[in-house]
Amino acid sequence: MYVAVKGGEAAIANAHALLADRRRGDRSVPALRLDQIVEQLALGVDRVMSEGSLYDRELAALAIVQARGDMIEAIFLVRAYRTTLPRFGYTRAIDTGAMLVERRVSATYKDLPGGQLLGPTFDYTHRLLDPELAAGGEVAEPLQRASDADAMPRVSAILAREGLIEPDGDMPQDHIPGDITREPLEFPMARDIRLQALSRGDEGFLLALGYSTQRGYARNHPFVGEVRIGEVELELDVPELPFAVPLGSARVTECQMVNQFKGSTKAPPQFTRGYGLVFGQSERKAMAMALCDRALRATEFGEDVVAAAQDEEFVISHSDNVQATGFVEHLKLPHYVDFQAELDLVRRMRAEHDARENAGKAEEKREAAE
């Protein structure tokens, strides 16, 4: 039971003023501009967009500033704002095969059609603090070359030509994908619904679950078939027009995990898929999502569900950091009546315990006297 706090309006107003003061910080230090955050804290902006389910870099940057850098609070702000926006329709499914690729790596094939592109990555840095960044020195322009016109087929398509990986499947013509932002979650879930929930799930939670699958808690043996990052076109079907209308582009990260599968009575031995797709550049999140996706397909492949990462209801119900934050932080709200009830109960139980203990001691004294 919650009890309303009366007489606290002035204290709350002062708390808001103090929060604004702390957010601004030292007035002699220039205030952050949104374009600085968008350009120089791009990965944080990408995470807020991905888990906030809203692709808008400036709004994500504003949320980061307003939340004083608290990513989950920023995600909460973006989601709240998202609920106020009108919905015009659903775009066509994006074609990541036609992505304008900036980064593309594979752990399965060294020589891929279209080649591998390292792109902007921390993978080969030494993880040593760079004092020159503190000085704000000039940064040299990167080397550039003309892009190749070679196609970049997915690694899964290469395996599919040999029939060594499960079919990708075709979307039924009359199928309307679910929307977890408009419909309540129901278990068990269709895979498209589950992927939506994973895509905006908490990166840390999914990373921990993905890690657990590698430590023997789901018996998955994955290979990164491919991670690709780049721009994809967004198109909208308009009933009055015979063609799709281009709306612009979005930067996404896609991961295809390739997993072993020993086969069953219905399917021969082959590789299976785990899939991850998120807004912006976030390959760690996309990889963790792909690991969890494959683990959650255990029932589909007739595998025993023996680990937390394979339990759909556990994973999806606890992956949303906004819901998790709300439930944990609600414990700060007044619970005075509940606590008083618990306090009275513990006092009565303690009194009964002490009475029994005293009676037992008295009985022992009588027996000793006899």
Side-chain angles (χ1 to χ4, degrees):
M1 177 184 292
Y2 306 124
V3 178
V5 180
K6 297 181 179 179
E9 289 86 354
I12 292 172
N14 288 333
H16 288 170
L18 184 59
L19 174 62
D21 175 75
R22 294 292 189 270
R23 179 167 52 226
R24 177 59 183 88
D26 188 343
R27 295 334 191 250
S28 65
V29 177
L32 283 171
R33 301 195 313 271
L34 296 188
D35 60 339
Q36 290 177 307
I37 297 172
V38 169
E39 295 296 330
Q40 299 177 40
L41 297 178
L43 299 186
V45 169
D46 286 348
R47 180 181 177 186
V48 172
M49 291 195 307
S50 177
E51 297 177 23
S53 300
L54 183 64
Y55 193 90
D56 190 309
R57 295 190 181 280
E58 288 194 354
L59 287 177
L62 174 60
I64 290 173
V65 172
Q66 185 173 334
R68 298 179 63 197
D70 184 331
M71 289 299 179
I72 295 180
E73 180 69 19
I75 291 163
F76 197 166
L77 291 170
V78 167
R79 286 205 199 171
Y81 180 78
R82 183 184 186 276
T83 63
T84 69
L85 300 177
R87 183 186 299 271
F88 298 105
Y90 296 93
T91 63
R92 286 184 173 183
I94 60 175
D95 181 8
T96 55
M99 178 188 293
L100 181 60
V101 175
E102 182 182 32
R103 172 167 163 78
R104 182 208 194 196
V105 292
S106 171
T108 53
Y109 291 102
K110 178 182 178 182
D111 298 313
L112 285 171
Q116 300 205 37
L117 298 174
L118 293 185
T121 177
F122 293 110
D123 288 352
Y124 305 99
T125 60
H126 295 295
R127 267 66 174 200
L128 299 175
L129 288 176
D130 185 355
E132 293 184 4
L133 291 176
E138 292 294 325
V139 177
E141 291 290 334
L143 296 176
Q144 297 185 7
R145 60 178 174 82
S147 60
D148 297 327
D150 295 344
M152 291 188 174
R154 298 185 184 89
V155 167
S156 55
I158 299 173
L159 292 170
R161 285 201 294 266
E162 297 184 58
L164 296 179
I165 193 168
E166 62 168 319
D168 200 8
D170 296 320
M171 183 72 73
Q173 293 295 326
D174 58 347
H175 177 71
I176 300 177
D179 186 345
I180 63 172
T181 67
R182 309 189 80 182
E183 301 164 2
L185 297 180
E186 294 183 359
F187 299 98
M189 289 179 163
R191 191 179 176 207
D192 61 326
I193 300 290
R194 191 167 64 220
L195 287 171
Q196 287 181 45
L198 291 175
S199 184
R200 75 174 194 165
D202 182 75
E203 178 180 330
F205 180 75
L206 297 182
L207 180 63
L209 287 175
Y211 178 44
S212 75
T213 68
Q214 305 310 291
R215 300 190 65 248
Y217 291 94
R219 295 196 299 273
N220 280 342
H221 189 275
F223 300 91
V224 175
E226 184 178 6
V227 171
R228 58 170 64 192
I229 302 171
E231 300 281 334
V232 292
E233 292 292 330
L234 301 176
E235 297 180 325
L236 178 68
D237 285 319
V238 178
E240 294 81 9
L241 299 175
F243 54 87
V245 177
L247 300 178
S249 63
R251 195 162 187 254
V252 299
T253 301
E254 180 186 52
C255 175
Q256 295 251 13
M257 285 286 181
V258 177
N259 296 71
Q260 292 178 1
F261 178 57
K262 63 182 179 180
S264 66
T265 57
K266 297 181 180 179
Q270 60 186 340
F271 291 109
T272 55
R273 306 167 187 260
Y275 188 73
L277 181 75
V278 296
F279 282 153
Q281 178 177 349
S282 183
E283 55 197 84
R284 180 171 55 228
K285 168 73 176 292
M287 291 172 65
M289 176 181 169
L291 290 171
C292 291
D293 172 49
R294 176 57 183 85
L296 290 170
R297 300 180 68 196
T299 304
E300 178 183 340
F301 293 111
E303 299 167 347
D304 294 332
V305 177
V306 296
Q310 297 171 305
D311 187 327
E312 180 182 77
E313 188 167 352
F314 174 82
V315 172
I316 302 303
S317 296
H318 299 93
S319 64
D320 192 301
N321 52 30
V322 173
Q323 291 184 9
T325 297
F327 202 89
V328 170
E329 293 195 350
H330 98 282
L331 297 173
K332 298 181 292 186
L333 296 175
H335 289 68
Y336 305 138
V337 174
D338 283 353
F339 180 72
Q340 287 300 319
E342 292 283 342
L343 185 61
D344 291 342
L345 177 61
V346 171
R347 282 172 174 164
R348 289 198 305 271
M349 294 170 61
R350 184 63 176 268
E352 293 171 1
H353 173 272
D354 291 345
R356 288 194 301 269
E357 192 173 67
N358 292 335
K361 289 180 180 179
E363 183 64 26
E364 290 176 0
K365 288 181 179 179
R366 283 196 299 270
E367 291 178 356
E370 294 174 358

